[in-house]
Amino acid sequence: MRQRPIGTATRGTTNPNRLRRMDRWIADAHGPALRRAGTPVAVDLGYGAAPWTAVELLGRLRTAEPRTRVAGIEIDPERVAAALPYEREGLTFVHGGFEIPLDVRPLLIRAANVLRQYDEEQVAEVWARLCSRLAPDGLLVEGTCDEIGRRHVWVALGPEGPRTVTFATRLGSLERPSDLAERLPKALIHRNVPGEPVHAFLRDFDRSWAAASPYASLGARQRWIAAVRALASDWPVTDGVRRWRQGEVTVAWDALRPGRTLSCRPHEGNFSVPGTPHGHRSSL
C-alpha cells in the first residue's frame, strides 16, 4: 500500500513567470548534468494551486537539454486533479510530498516557497530527505521569492548537502541589496541578526552597493557588478560577471551557514572554501 504523502499543503499561491530567475540559474548551472544523464528527470515540488511553474520549468530546462522530463508533485489531490489537463509529452503531475513518489531518482528537485511555513528546526530533516531521493549527480534547489518574481534567494544542495546560496533580483526595483533579506529561505531568514554570517554578508553588500553609487549613472547593472566585485574580495563568491549581469550573486554555503562564529572582521582574517574557483579566499 502506498504511503501517505509526507508534508503539509502550502497556501498554493502561484503566478506565471514567478520562478523565472531561479529556472534561468538552474538551466545554466545544472545544464551539463542534464545533458550527461540517460533520462534527465526534474521535479517541481509543491507547484501550488495552478501548474504554471511546472509547465515553465519544462520549457526552460529543455533549452538546456531537450530530453528533460518534469514531474509536478503536489500534496493536495485537488491541485493534482486540476493540473492533469496540462499534462503533455514530458510533463506529468503526481500526488505526493517530500517522499518524492517516482520510480526514478530525479536529477533535479526544485522546492520554491515550500518550506516557508515550516519551523527552522525542520529544515535540515526535509533537506536530508529530499537529497536522499536525488540521483548521484542531482541537485536540490530550495528557496523563496516574492509574488511576481522580482526577488529570490535559494540554497543549492547536492546529495552530500548544501553547497551555495544565490541572491537574485530585478535590479531596477532594488534600493539596496539587504532588501533581499525578506526573501531569505527558512534556514536563514531568522538568522539575519547581528553575529550571524548572513547578517554580516548583507551588511557588507550594502556597503559595497553604497560605495558603487558612482556607477549608478551607467545603470543599475553596472552598479551591481561593481558592488559584487568589491564584495568578492571578502566573501567566497563562486560565480562571475556573466551571472552578475543577470542580477545574481552566488556565495558558498559554508560562509553563510547559521551559527558560524565570526571571529574576524573583514580584512583581518581569511576563510577558504574547498572547490571555489581558483582557490578563492575570503575574509570574515
Side-chain angles (χ1 to χ4, degrees):
M1 185 175 67
R2 182 178 169 183
Q3 70 181 87
R4 179 180 178 182
I6 300 171
T8 58
T10 65
R11 291 184 303 160
T13 305
T14 188
N15 281 303
N17 271 329
R18 186 182 187 187
L19 301 181
R20 62 192 179 279
R21 300 181 193 281
M22 185 183 288
D23 290 350
R24 183 175 60 198
W25 182 89
I26 291 170
D28 183 75
H30 207 43
L34 293 171
R35 290 187 285 273
R36 288 193 299 268
T39 305
V41 174
V43 166
D44 183 12
L45 180 62
Y47 56 82
W52 318 135
T53 60
V55 172
E56 292 166 352
L57 182 63
L58 177 67
R60 289 165 183 154
L61 292 186
R62 283 195 163 180
T63 64
E65 173 45 66
R67 298 175 299 117
T68 303
R69 305 180 66 84
V70 170
I73 296 180
E74 248 297 337
I75 202 167
D76 184 337
E78 292 184 2
R79 294 174 185 174
V80 177
L84 291 179
Y86 294 88
E87 287 192 337
R88 58 176 185 251
E89 186 277 323
L91 179 64
T92 58
F93 295 94
V94 179
H95 180 222
F98 296 141
E99 76 283 1
I100 310 296
L102 301 179
D103 294 333
V104 299
R105 292 185 179 274
L107 201 62
L108 169 74
I109 299 174
R110 185 190 64 185
N113 305 300
V114 171
L115 297 189
R116 192 81 168 179
Q117 65 188 1
Y118 289 80
D119 293 333
E120 181 183 355
E121 293 73 21
Q122 297 174 281
V123 172
E125 179 184 351
V126 173
W127 280 359
R129 183 182 295 276
L130 294 177
C131 286
S132 73
R133 295 291 296 131
L134 289 172
D137 202 18
L139 190 72
L140 166 63
V141 179
E142 187 274 308
T144 306
C145 70
D146 66 2
E147 288 74 12
I148 58 175
R150 293 172 302 173
R151 297 172 184 169
H152 292 239
V153 187
W154 62 81
V155 181
L157 306 92
E160 79 287 354
R163 296 173 177 172
T164 60
V165 184
T166 298
F167 299 79
T169 186
R170 186 171 74 83
L171 292 172
S173 68
L174 188 72
E175 182 175 346
R176 61 181 65 85
S178 61
D179 290 347
L180 287 160
E182 67 184 27
R183 297 301 163 183
L184 287 168
K186 178 60 74 168
L188 294 173
I189 194 165
H190 299 302
R191 301 298 184 132
N192 186 29
V193 294
E196 287 282 349
V198 70
H199 182 271
F201 173 80
L202 290 171
R203 175 204 64 201
D204 289 355
F205 205 170
D206 279 353
R207 290 173 178 172
S208 295
W209 179 254
S213 60
Y215 289 87
S217 61
L218 303 176
R221 176 177 294 173
Q222 293 305 315
R223 184 178 182 182
W224 176 268
I225 291 171
V228 174
R229 183 173 284 117
L231 188 72
S233 67
D234 293 322
W235 293 87
V237 172
T238 66
D239 52 6
V241 174
R242 188 170 66 87
R243 301 310 310 174
W244 303 347
R245 289 179 59 83
Q246 303 297 323
E248 298 172 8
V249 60
T250 298
V251 185
W253 163 260
D254 204 40
L256 303 186
R257 176 169 51 84
R260 169 175 289 280
T261 300
L262 299 180
S263 57
C264 301
R265 294 178 61 82
H267 307 295
E268 293 179 0
N270 288 320
F271 171 75
S272 63
V273 179
T276 53
H278 310 298
H280 182 88
R281 298 182 67 83
S282 176
S283 306
L284 279 185

